[in-house]
Amino acid sequence: MIDLHTHSTASDGTLSPADLVLQASKAGVTALALTDHDCVAGIAEAQLAADKNDIKLIPGIELSVMWSGRTLHLLGLNIDTSNSDLTIALQKVLDFRRWRAKEIARKLEDIGVENALDGARKMARTDLIGRSHFARHLVEQGHAKDFRQVFKRFLVKGKPGHVRGEWMSLEAGINLIHQSSGVAVLAHPARYNLSRTKLRSLFKELKTLGADGIEVVSGCHSKDENQTMAQHALDFGFPASQGSDYHGPDKPWVQLGRLPPMHYRCTPIWEAGLKIS
Ligand code: AMP
Ligand code: MN
Ligand code: MN
Ligand code: MN
């Protein structure tokens, strides 16, 4: 059982890296990638837990990148977390996130939401603040009934708490992952609201830029979307990745390692560029 996309408290997951690994091991996962947003701070703790629980840990990351004016997510799998280019680039992203958090709080204040920055900081276990931390605070304060609603009403484009992403380019992200000896995979391609034409132009560009694969089976795709992405992977000759995008037990419909089977004609990324052993 292979799960190549998960989050811990090092970004916006709710389990500590050690607990995540333990739960994955209990669920029967044999190889697990920890892919926190723009951050590798959880990897060392996860590695220790993996050694104790006889599970293979793949050091990973989910980079926020820009393409054609939008934010995309790029997975880096099997990265060397000590790479100095990576360390420098991630510090810049952390600085942007810090600034963005203040901006989000300021904008929310304009519509009468008080102390959102303090609230989000309390939800985050580290100094990496994401929209999920704001979302949890806003739900707790009764500004929306659940996580979905809070994004829809406050945190997405066109809504009062939205701040435009200023992440590295897709090209820079792929190069950074390669410099860190990792494998670059486009995360959850069906989650960007791209038309079929636009999505195919993205895949074409990913090919040109040397990306190593696309996430075909995702915990945040429908079964139909998995099938569609399998077809795109075959059309473009991309190896296929799979991951739950697990963020914690509070979303019980997403479980560690529980994924529908990948299309039989796809080449799994662990039989192409990614070493798991
Ligand atoms: P950030 O990188 O700080 O902009 O936050 C992105 C994260 O917010 C994603 O990885 C999800 O965990 C969460 N997220 C984004 N959009 C939504 C949404 N519409 N509903 C629920 N969670 C979302
Ligand atoms: Mn997330
Ligand atoms: Mn993502
Ligand atoms: Mn994710």
Side-chain angles (χ1 to χ4, degrees):
M1 216 196 259
I2 294 172
D3 192 337
L4 300 177
H5 186 163
T6 65
H7 297 273
S8 75
T9 46
S11 66
D12 61 355
T14 57
L15 295 183
S16 70
D19 283 343
L20 176 80
V21 170
L22 185 62
Q23 292 309 318
S25 164
K26 279 187 187 162
V29 174
T30 51
L32 177 82
L34 174 60
T35 54
D36 275 309
H37 297 284
D38 305 312
C39 164
V40 294
I43 301 291
E45 181 185 317
Q47 186 62 63
L48 281 175
D51 294 343
K52 273 189 211 147
N53 290 283
D54 197 27
I55 168 171
K56 168 76 186 170
L57 182 83
I58 292 139
I61 195 161
E62 183 173 17
L63 281 182
S64 310
V65 299
M66 300 302 296
W67 178 74
S68 189
R70 350 159 170 255
T71 297
L72 304 180
H73 286 172
L74 186 67
L75 297 169
L77 301 174
N78 228 356
I79 50 169
D80 170 9
T81 56
S82 66
N83 180 275
S84 59
D85 293 327
L86 182 68
T87 308
I88 293 165
L90 294 184
Q91 185 57 50
K92 280 192 197 147
V93 182
L94 201 58
D95 291 342
F96 168 67
R97 279 186 174 276
R98 225 174 257 140
W99 174 84
R100 184 185 69 158
K102 284 186 203 144
E103 278 295 291
I104 293 175
R106 190 180 60 73
K107 290 182 148 208
L108 289 173
E109 205 135 308
D110 286 347
I111 57 155
V113 178
E114 280 167 24
N115 291 325
L117 188 57
D118 285 342
R121 278 199 183 120
K122 275 187 199 126
M123 293 296 169
R125 301 291 170 84
T126 67
D127 55 353
L128 185 144
I129 299 182
R131 284 183 293 162
S132 302
H133 303 118
F134 280 96
R136 284 187 201 120
H137 171 70
L138 290 171
V139 172
E140 201 181 86
Q141 294 296 307
H143 293 286
K145 74 169 178 357
D146 61 29
F147 213 69
R148 275 178 66 95
Q149 282 296 322
V150 83
F151 271 90
K152 216 168 144 185
R153 286 178 54 194
F154 297 99
L155 298 171
V156 295
K157 201 170 173 185
K159 296 303 152 111
H162 182 259
V163 177
R164 210 166 53 85
E166 289 177 32
W167 318 108
M168 67 186 84
S169 67
L170 174 63
E171 179 174 14
I174 292 171
N175 292 340
L176 185 62
I177 290 166
H178 285 163
Q179 274 156 21
S180 315
S181 321
V183 165
V185 171
L186 179 72
H188 45 62
R191 283 285 68 77
Y192 305 117
N193 282 321
L194 298 172
S195 68
R196 190 179 162 82
T197 310
K198 191 86 182 162
L199 190 58
R200 290 181 74 88
S201 74
L202 170 58
F203 291 141
K204 195 164 164 238
E205 194 162 338
L206 282 166
K207 263 275 125 137
T208 308
L209 295 173
D212 304 287
I214 66 172
E215 195 173 48
V216 163
V217 180
S218 167
C220 63
H221 282 170
S222 69
K223 289 216 171 95
D224 278 356
E225 287 168 341
N226 287 341
Q227 291 308 88
T228 307
M229 294 312 139
Q231 195 53 59
H232 287 308
L234 290 167
D235 289 353
F236 286 85
F238 277 123
S241 191
Q242 65 180 35
S244 61
D245 205 0
Y246 184 83
H247 280 72
D250 50 328
K251 288 180 200 158
W253 59 92
V254 177
Q255 292 199 9
L256 283 163
R258 287 292 137 76
L259 289 161
M262 185 182 284
H263 192 286
Y264 73 99
R265 284 182 58 213
C266 286
T267 304
I269 188 107
W270 55 93
E271 288 173 14
L274 180 69
K275 286 193 196 74
I276 301 183
S277 59

